[in-house]
Amino acid sequence: MSATHIDVKGVNKVFKTDNREVVALRDINLQIPQGQFVCLLGPSGCGKSTLLNAIAGFSLPSSGEITADGQLITGPGPERGMVFQEYALFPWMTVEKNIAFGLEVKGMAQAEIKQRVDQLLSMLSLSDFRNRYPKDLSGGMRQRVAIARVLALDSPIMLMDEPFGALDALTRRNLQDELLRIWSELKKTIIFVTHSIEEAIYLADRIVVMTYRPGTVKRDMIVELPRLRDPASADFNALKRELGALVMEEQQRHHSDELRMAAVD
């Protein structure tokens, strides 16, 4: 790992709704080096996606700052590619055209666009589907296209918000393996939001467990398990139990908070 690629310093995020303030993030500090695969883990409502959106520049912190390669993030930028759970494809464009879209917007030469798109179609096993439309593809195939579209722009940072959450177990594992292969080959820095403990252990160099609202860093751990990881192994399951206990504490705190609010209402 090299120097810090993403630096999150004292980040707080407050949402104001109906004359009420909700503290979504409180005093988040993370230094992420170049090429690290980081999973943000925690129950719903812990601020994982809020933090990811702040790094993406979609929803900036209320206080604190986030930098990428030392540059303050003040909005979305080409060095940070985002992959959403909802695929976010243009339904009127073919697979090939979806992948090429960002390159055409940048004004890249057609020959170079074709070369890069062909490479990505091959890398993600999409060559036979280049002229299909998103409606003709399975969920897994659509997500491959979404990943290819981000990779086409060659962003050094990939931000992924539960990209495999809506997929069946087998497709999910296949895409996890595909993502690990791409990450190993292209040396991207990846920040990946998930609520699946097994997914976090399978993928990450580092797991950041977040607390229920306000989201803070409950545990920041390096995953020492060698790759490729076996979910049936004793070490994998020992870590799964440890992380499960941490997440369960926050889920119980969430449940207690809901009961308290219901009693007040």
Side-chain angles (χ1 to χ4, degrees):
M1 299 293 174
S2 57
T4 299
H5 201 184
I6 302 166
D7 198 355
V8 182
K9 301 176 184 176
V11 161
N12 298 279
K13 181 66 178 180
V14 179
F15 292 103
K16 296 181 179 180
T17 56
D18 299 328
N19 300 318
R20 181 166 165 256
E21 289 191 347
V22 176
V23 182
L25 299 174
R26 176 177 291 164
D27 195 28
I28 303 287
N29 293 278
L30 294 171
Q31 288 73 47
I32 299 172
Q34 170 73 40
Q36 191 171 64
F37 197 134
V38 179
C39 276
L40 304 179
L41 176 68
S44 296
C46 71
K48 306 183 296 296
S49 294
T50 301
L51 177 56
L52 196 74
N53 284 324
I55 296 170
F58 296 145
S59 179
L60 298 176
S62 302
S63 59
E65 65 177 34
I66 306 173
T67 59
D69 286 328
Q71 299 296 311
L72 183 66
I73 291 173
T74 58
E79 79 284 359
R80 286 161 283 129
M82 187 82 165
V83 179
F84 301 93
Q85 183 175 344
E86 300 84 7
Y87 316 127
L89 302 178
F90 298 123
W92 61 89
M93 289 186 182
T94 63
V95 166
E96 182 176 22
K97 288 295 187 181
N98 263 287
I99 297 171
F101 177 76
L103 303 178
E104 291 175 346
V105 169
K106 288 175 67 176
M108 186 178 288
Q110 284 299 316
E112 192 175 351
I113 290 175
K114 185 179 187 311
Q115 181 181 18
R116 188 173 296 186
V117 171
D118 286 348
Q119 179 186 24
L120 288 165
L121 287 168
S122 176
M123 177 183 285
L124 285 155
S125 302
L126 290 166
S127 296
D128 292 340
F129 302 89
R130 67 188 308 147
N131 295 317
R132 300 281 188 89
Y133 291 89
K135 67 180 178 59
D136 301 321
L137 304 177
S138 67
M141 282 291 183
R142 287 180 209 155
Q143 197 59 287
R144 284 175 190 264
V145 178
I147 291 169
R149 192 165 67 177
V150 171
L151 290 174
L153 296 172
D154 201 24
S155 304
I157 298 166
M158 288 184 70
L159 307 175
M160 310 187 78
D161 193 0
E162 298 197 62
F164 309 146
L167 303 175
D168 64 87
L170 181 58
T171 302
R172 186 171 185 154
R173 178 51 50 83
N174 287 338
L175 281 179
Q176 287 169 351
D177 289 339
E178 197 74 45
L179 179 61
L180 287 173
R181 182 178 65 80
I182 291 167
W183 168 71
S184 177
E185 182 177 333
L186 300 181
K187 311 300 182 188
K188 304 285 188 185
T189 302
I190 296 179
I191 306 178
F192 187 107
V193 165
T194 183
H195 62 262
S196 167
I197 296 167
E198 183 170 307
E199 182 168 63
I201 299 170
Y202 192 74
L203 292 175
D205 290 323
R206 175 183 178 188
I207 297 174
V208 177
V209 182
M210 296 182 65
T211 65
Y212 174 65
R213 191 171 58 238
T216 60
V217 176
K218 183 180 182 77
R219 181 77 64 84
D220 185 350
M221 66 167 65
I222 299 297
V223 182
E224 304 286 359
L225 301 179
R227 300 181 185 275
L228 291 167
R229 294 171 183 159
D230 179 6
S233 72
D235 289 342
F236 192 106
N237 280 282
L239 183 53
K240 187 175 178 179
R241 285 191 295 273
E242 179 182 351
L243 288 166
L246 294 173
V247 173
M248 185 58 69
E249 286 176 0
E250 297 310 309
Q251 286 179 328
Q252 289 173 344
R253 195 159 72 86
H254 181 189
H255 183 61
S256 297
D257 192 39
E258 285 184 328
L259 291 175
R260 180 180 60 79
M261 293 297 292
V264 170
D265 291 343

